[in-house]
């Protein structure tokens, strides 16, 4: 919808305003239709949008989409990381685990998680996220309940492998799903609204675990088994509800008017050079373009390194706290893990909010590293319990923010919907390779100070700083190089389909730092 005019002062002005508004509405409807481009050959949007109408639409999308996916991801992360809470409640002892068995068990989860990451996001596009996301959520809820009934390492390994299969599509699937609805600048903050559930899962998971462990029993379950059983049942309930609340795409949203549907489609198309439809047909070339984008590859490598620290903190925070405060009760140790995650949750929202307002992601990712570097330096440099506990607040302050920032960055730097699904899939897959590495970062013989684990995390964070900085300067350099290219000459003789297939190789495309 075009920008609003001043109130008309005469019948003639009123008629003219109505004509202008009708023309803008027709233009918006035309741009939203499949087969019509929303940009010129230089990548400039062909229609202007009413900021107030966009704000109303955003509020509606936030209300209908974000709460459901946030709840699903909260229990996705709880069902993954609650094994850390179970560990200090007798999980290892009851299953007869020794030596590196716990690390191996964590690794088994990540093997299936990594292998099924990109295939899951491709399936998400093929089936539709409105059905796929609730289905995999239901799957890992059931698997979590099954974990409550394991009696040996082999059984635990089997359910953790299955859990990885179902959870593989969750983080990239939601990121891809939201990219269908939001502009590039808006997406980062919306991703943070569900990814913030990772640190919140650490806080809420610790509270929930301590509350559950205060029960005598739940049915026939006792101690750590109650954690998996109760949390799995909650996940199943939320998953069933989400089958009815998630809408696959704007065209099928019964809670949007036709004008709002047109606006939702047109404004996303307006940022995708030469694109004639938001939801394109999937093909191998577009999938490879998403994976081979230079920004996708550098960002995913950075996310791999970041996830070594994120997942290490999630899995081993209770263990780290126990080494700091060994004389405290198990419930108290669980509660000590909560405050750092609350701080992490705040920054996971604050940094993407800044990114939204500035429409910048790369510089914010650079800003996430200094406090983490200081935190791990403190772990290595002192054995004072209070100082080391303070360091956990520095770690959680910015670690989790890289999740929404990196997924938004790879999404912003490809064009087609198909390329977006594969780029996000690769980013999260690489991140979970970092998660796999993290399962071996805190080894039993390295306790209680864990010099190897903390040194590895410090090195990983320093490397993130280097990669993110180099990528920022490369993007600026390549954009200047692209300014010297002749768009008309390069596109001469190409069909609309061929032009659209160029994706980020289109001469009018510019990297979005």
């Amino acid at each position: 919808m075009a920008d609003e005019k001043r109130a008309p002062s005469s019948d003639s002005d009123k008629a003219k305003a109505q004509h202008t508004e009708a023309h803008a509405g027709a233009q918006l409807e035309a741009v939203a239709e499949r087969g019509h481009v929303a940009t010129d050959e230089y990548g400039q949007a062909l229609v202007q949008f009413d900021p107030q109408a966009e704000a109303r639409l955003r509020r509606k999308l936030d209300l209908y989409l974000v709460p459901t996916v946030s709840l699903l991801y909260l229990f996705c992360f709880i069902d993954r990381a609650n094994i850390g809470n179970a560990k200090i409640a007798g999980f290892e002892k009851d299953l007869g685990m020794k030596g590196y068995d716990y690390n191996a068990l964590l690794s088994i989860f990540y093997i299936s998680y990594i292998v099924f990451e990109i295939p899951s996001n491709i399936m998400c596009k093929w089936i539709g996220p409105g059905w796929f996301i609730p289905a995999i959520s239901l799957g890992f809820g059931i698997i979590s309940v099954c974990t409550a009934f394991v009696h040996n390492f082999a059984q635990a390994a089997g359910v953790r492998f299955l859990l990885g299969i179902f959870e593989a599509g969750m983080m990239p699937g939601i990121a891809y799903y939201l990219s269908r609805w939001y502009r590039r600048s808006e997406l980062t903050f919306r991703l943070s609204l569900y990814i913030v559930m990772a640190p919140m899962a650490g806080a809420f998971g610790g509270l929930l675990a301590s509350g559950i462990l205060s029960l005598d029993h739940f049915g026939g379950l006792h101690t750590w088994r109650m954690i998996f059983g109760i949390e799995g049942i909650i996940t199943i309930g939320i998953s069933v509800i989400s089958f009815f609340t998630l809408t696959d795409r704007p065209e099928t949203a019964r809670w949007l008017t036709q004008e709002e549907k047109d606006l939702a489609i047109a404004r996303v198309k307006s940022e995708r050079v030469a694109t004639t439809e938001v939801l394109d047909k999937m093909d191998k070339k577009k999938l490879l373009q998403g994976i081979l984008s230079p920004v996708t590859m550098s960002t995913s490598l950075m996310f791999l390194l970041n996830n070594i620290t994120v997942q290490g903190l999630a899995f081993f925070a209770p263990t780290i706290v126990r080494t700091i405060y060994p004389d405290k009760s198990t419930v108290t140790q669980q509660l000590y893990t909560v405050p750092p995650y609350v701080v992490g949750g705040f920054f996971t929202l604050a940094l993407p909010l800044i990114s939204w307002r500035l429409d910048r992601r790369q510089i914010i990712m650079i800003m996430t590293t200094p406090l983490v570097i200081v935190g791990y330096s403190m772990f290595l440099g002192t054995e004072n319990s209070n100082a080391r506990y303070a360091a956990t607040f520095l770690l959680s302050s910015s670690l989790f923010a890289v999740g929404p920032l990196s997924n938004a960055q790879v999404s912003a730097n490809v064009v087609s919907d198909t390329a977006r699904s594969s780029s996000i899939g690769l980013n999260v897959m690489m991140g979970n390779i970092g998660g796999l590495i993290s399962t071996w970062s805190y080894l039993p013989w390295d306790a209680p100070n864990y010099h190897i684990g903390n040194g590895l995390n410090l090195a990983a964070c320093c490397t993130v700083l280097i990669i993110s900085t180099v990528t920022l300067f490369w993007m600026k350099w390549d954009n200047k190089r692209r300014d010297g290219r002749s768009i008309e000459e390069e596109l001469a003789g190409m069909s609309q389909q061929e032009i659209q297939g160029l994706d980020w190789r289109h001469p009018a495309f510019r990297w979005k730092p």
Side-chain angles (χ1 to χ4, degrees):
M1 191 173 180
D3 292 337
E4 292 183 341
K5 310 295 182 182
R6 290 180 299 173
S9 57
S10 67
D11 290 342
S12 175
D13 289 340
K14 185 176 181 180
K16 188 175 181 180
Q18 289 175 339
H19 174 76
T20 301
E21 186 175 342
H23 175 72
Q27 187 182 24
L28 180 64
E29 183 179 359
V31 167
E33 288 181 358
R34 181 179 292 271
H36 291 265
V37 293
T39 69
D40 60 21
E41 62 181 3
Y42 300 98
Q44 302 299 315
L46 295 176
V47 62
Q48 291 183 326
F49 303 104
D50 175 7
Q52 293 182 349
E54 282 200 273
R56 288 193 297 270
L57 175 64
R58 261 196 316 269
R59 287 192 293 270
K60 212 167 186 179
L61 298 180
D62 291 343
L63 178 64
Y64 279 86
L65 301 176
V66 175
T68 299
V69 296
S70 296
L71 269 177
L72 289 174
Y73 192 69
L74 170 66
F75 279 90
C76 168
F77 209 87
I78 285 177
D79 290 344
R80 175 196 317 177
N82 57 12
I83 193 171
N85 301 109
K87 180 187 179 187
I88 65 174
F91 177 79
E92 285 183 295
K93 181 180 178 182
D94 289 351
L95 268 60
M97 295 167 61
K98 299 177 182 178
Y100 300 115
D101 285 350
Y102 181 72
N103 302 82
L105 194 61
L106 298 182
S107 298
I108 288 167
F109 167 85
Y110 275 106
I111 290 171
S112 57
Y113 203 21
I114 292 166
V115 169
F116 287 91
E117 199 78 64
I118 293 178
S120 285
N121 231 32
I122 294 173
M123 288 290 290
C124 186
K125 176 176 173 59
W126 182 53
I127 295 173
W131 290 98
F132 185 77
I133 292 172
I136 60 174
S137 177
L138 178 63
F140 64 69
I142 293 171
I143 296 300
S144 182
V145 173
C146 292
T147 310
F149 298 94
V150 301
H151 293 282
N152 54 55
F153 176 80
Q155 293 173 356
V159 294
R160 290 294 292 183
F161 186 85
L162 292 174
L163 188 69
I165 293 175
F166 284 108
E167 288 201 11
M170 202 64 185
M171 185 180 187
I174 296 176
Y176 162 66
Y177 175 54
L178 294 180
S179 73
R180 291 183 168 189
W181 301 82
Y182 290 101
R183 281 181 177 272
R184 178 187 68 237
S185 61
E186 302 164 353
L187 182 61
T188 310
F189 183 63
R190 272 69 194 182
L191 295 184
S192 75
L193 290 175
Y194 85 86
I195 292 178
V196 72
M197 293 303 163
M200 288 299 97
F204 181 63
L207 288 172
L208 188 57
S210 62
I212 291 172
L213 290 173
S214 67
L215 300 174
D216 290 331
H217 62 89
F218 176 73
L221 303 177
H222 298 270
T223 61
W224 59 267
R225 297 183 187 276
M226 295 190 296
I227 296 176
F228 292 109
I230 292 174
E231 292 176 356
I233 289 172
I234 296 173
T235 302
I236 291 171
I238 296 172
S239 302
V240 172
I241 294 172
S242 67
F243 276 106
F244 302 97
T245 57
L246 284 188
T247 303
D248 203 56
R249 57 191 182 278
E251 297 96 318
T252 60
R254 293 188 297 271
W255 39 272
L256 291 178
T257 66
Q258 186 57 52
E259 185 178 4
E260 287 171 333
K261 291 178 182 180
D262 292 340
L263 177 59
I265 297 168
R267 71 196 202 105
V268 171
K269 283 177 68 175
S270 69
E271 295 186 325
R272 303 182 182 182
V273 59
T275 295
T276 58
E277 67 274 327
V278 173
L279 303 182
D280 59 329
K281 291 183 178 180
M282 189 162 48
D283 63 54
K284 181 179 177 181
K285 180 181 177 182
K286 293 176 182 176
L287 289 171
L288 289 175
Q289 284 176 331
I291 292 171
L292 297 177
S293 163
V295 172
T296 298
M297 290 190 288
S298 67
T299 303
S300 61
L301 177 58
M302 185 187 65
F303 193 40
L304 181 156
L305 296 165
N306 170 260
N307 242 30
I308 295 175
T309 59
V310 169
Q311 301 297 344
L313 186 64
F315 285 124
F316 292 97
T319 302
I320 293 169
V321 168
R322 186 171 60 181
T323 64
I324 297 174
Y325 301 107
D327 298 329
K328 302 293 184 180
S329 68
T330 298
V331 171
T332 303
Q333 290 170 356
Q334 300 277 11
L335 292 175
Y336 266 110
T337 66
V338 174
Y341 281 112
V342 174
V343 172
F346 171 79
F347 282 97
T348 302
L349 293 176
L351 293 176
L353 181 60
I354 295 171
S355 170
W356 174 22
R357 298 307 183 189
L358 300 178
D359 192 14
R360 292 291 184 271
R361 289 150 298 278
Q362 199 69 28
I363 187 65
I364 308 297
M365 286 191 282
I366 294 172
M367 291 168 54
T368 63
T369 57
L371 289 180
V372 181
I373 291 173
V374 172
Y376 279 113
S377 298
M378 289 173 64
F379 266 127
L380 289 168
T382 181
E383 294 183 10
N384 180 274
S385 297
N386 291 330
R388 300 186 88 190
Y389 186 58
T392 62
F393 287 84
L394 297 178
L395 302 182
S396 61
S397 65
S398 51
L399 278 176
F400 294 95
V402 177
L405 288 165
S406 63
N407 281 302
Q409 184 68 327
V410 298
S411 175
N413 285 283
V414 292
V415 178
S416 72
D417 187 71
T418 298
R420 188 164 281 101
S421 70
S422 61
S423 65
I424 294 173
L426 177 69
N427 186 58
V428 179
M429 184 196 78
M430 292 290 284
N432 286 302
I433 292 175
L436 176 61
I437 295 171
S438 76
T439 63
W440 294 94
S441 58
Y442 290 91
L443 300 171
W445 56 267
D446 198 28
N449 294 318
Y450 296 107
H451 292 299
I452 291 178
N454 294 322
L456 173 65
N457 285 320
L458 177 60
C461 189
C462 291
T463 309
V464 168
L465 175 60
I466 295 170
I467 294 174
S468 55
T469 303
V470 170
T471 301
L472 175 63
F473 284 107
W474 178 85
M475 293 168 79
K476 291 180 177 293
W477 171 82
D478 196 55
N479 281 344
K480 288 183 179 180
R481 183 184 65 83
R482 287 170 179 253
D483 288 341
R485 296 167 65 177
S486 173
I487 296 174
E488 293 86 351
E489 289 182 9
E490 292 193 34
L491 299 182
M494 299 179 68
S495 67
Q496 179 59 46
Q497 185 176 3
E498 290 173 327
I499 293 173
Q500 186 170 323
L502 292 173
D503 205 89
W504 53 270
R505 290 186 171 90
H506 192 289
F509 178 84
R510 296 295 183 271
W511 304 110
K512 319 301 190 302

